[in-house]
Amino acid sequence: DAGVIQSPRHEVTEMGQEVTLRCKPISGHDYLFWYRQTMMRGLELLIYFNNNVPIDDSGMPEDRFSAKMPNASFSTLKIQPSEPRDSAVYFCASRKGPGDSPLHFGNGTRLTVT
Amino acid sequence: QKEVEQNSGPLSVPEGAIASLNCTYSDRGSQSFFWYRQYSGKSPELIMFIYSNGDKEDGRFTAQLNKASQYVSLLIRDSQPSDSATYLCAVIRDSNYQLIWGAGTKLIIKP
């Protein structure tokens, strides 16, 4: 099984640029999560989808952040315009079934905004 | 008060000893509890989950749950340098079934 696949692994961009992070969940998983991790704030849930439908986006910091899941095998997280404080590791994770099923993480995207 | 609390550490344990990691939570209705391990620069990976009061053993790892006292712990026996990592406690919030994360405890196993 391929696991959760994220791209790119590293992204360095200048302030004001658009950034798009990509995720392919594990086949058959019906929940997809986007997290952000920093030293200061730890692991923060940004948004999650169930069957491609956004369920809770209350963790999205501001309107500069948007996420889509056009089908069961693909999701994007977009930041436009990016700011230095967006620098973090962004993880995508997927899960099959309800809340007590294990969460499987991708390798993450390390974003640096200069 | 944070919903899930962990001592950030670092917790330093000599090789071969037992490492004890603790986590407390505030939602008395929580039913599902997880321990994830995260190596530096890597993603979190699930190592244990526990749903019932008592102990659950898996190899060198034992998860302990006490719902009355609202704490969950992870014991690592015969600690190895390869166990050095940050250990994240996660709890399912009863009201909306969301997974709530602790900040993690950094564990260092000294050879």
Side-chain angles (χ1 to χ4, degrees):
Chain A
D1 197 356
V4 177
I5 300 172
Q6 289 186 248
S7 65
R9 290 296 308 275
H10 302 274
E11 177 80 43
V12 180
T13 190
E14 291 183 349
M15 183 173 63
Q17 296 298 306
E18 178 179 296
V19 175
T20 299
L21 311 181
R22 298 172 176 79
C23 175
K24 176 180 169 55
I26 293 174
S27 177
H29 282 197
D30 51 351
Y31 285 83
L32 183 140
F33 301 79
W34 282 101
Y35 283 94
R36 177 171 69 177
Q37 188 176 41
T38 61
M39 289 291 291
M40 290 295 295
R41 301 171 71 94
L43 204 56
E44 300 175 276
L45 176 65
L46 300 177
I47 185 171
Y48 79 93
F49 296 83
N50 178 217
N51 291 323
N52 315 337
V53 176
I55 304 300
D56 185 351
D57 65 354
S58 60
M60 297 285 260
E62 1 181 326
D63 291 346
R64 299 184 296 106
F65 286 69
S66 62
K68 294 182 179 180
M69 191 166 187
N71 57 62
S73 59
F74 184 65
S75 178
T76 59
L77 177 68
K78 187 175 291 186
I79 309 172
Q80 165 63 18
S82 58
E83 297 182 3
R85 60 189 167 130
D86 301 330
S87 298
V89 180
Y90 290 80
F91 287 108
C92 175
S94 70
R95 185 184 79 201
K96 183 177 176 62
D100 54 0
S101 303
L103 206 55
H104 298 262
F105 284 82
N107 289 327
T109 296
R110 181 173 295 277
L111 173 64
T112 303
V113 183
T114 60
Chain B
Q1 181 190 5
K2 293 181 179 178
E3 285 190 72
V4 179
E5 299 227 37
Q6 296 181 256
N7 188 318
S8 61
L11 174 66
S12 184
V13 174
E15 183 176 358
I18 296 175
S20 178
L21 304 161
N22 298 313
C23 171
T24 58
Y25 60 94
S26 60
D27 183 357
R28 188 167 286 278
S30 295
Q31 300 293 327
S32 305
F33 308 87
F34 303 85
W35 283 101
Y36 283 77
R37 177 178 62 198
Q38 186 175 24
Y39 292 114
S40 180
K42 302 294 185 182
S43 58
E45 57 177 332
L46 180 69
I47 54 171
M48 291 283 289
F49 60 88
I50 186 167
Y51 304 145
S52 303
N53 269 333
D55 294 1
K56 179 181 178 182
E57 189 173 315
D58 183 2
R60 295 187 297 111
F61 297 95
T62 299
Q64 298 177 317
L65 176 60
N66 184 323
K67 290 184 180 179
S69 300
Q70 294 176 238
Y71 81 78
V72 57
S73 61
L74 179 70
L75 303 179
I76 307 174
R77 290 181 300 282
D78 187 23
S79 298
Q80 304 295 311
S82 59
D83 296 324
S84 297
T86 295
Y87 289 80
L88 299 163
C89 172
V91 176
I92 297 287
R93 184 194 286 152
D94 188 51
S95 60
N96 61 4
Y97 240 36
Q98 278 202 21
L99 191 62
I100 308 301
W101 296 84
T105 298
K106 184 173 183 177
L107 175 66
I108 299 172
I109 306 300
K110 291 190 171 180

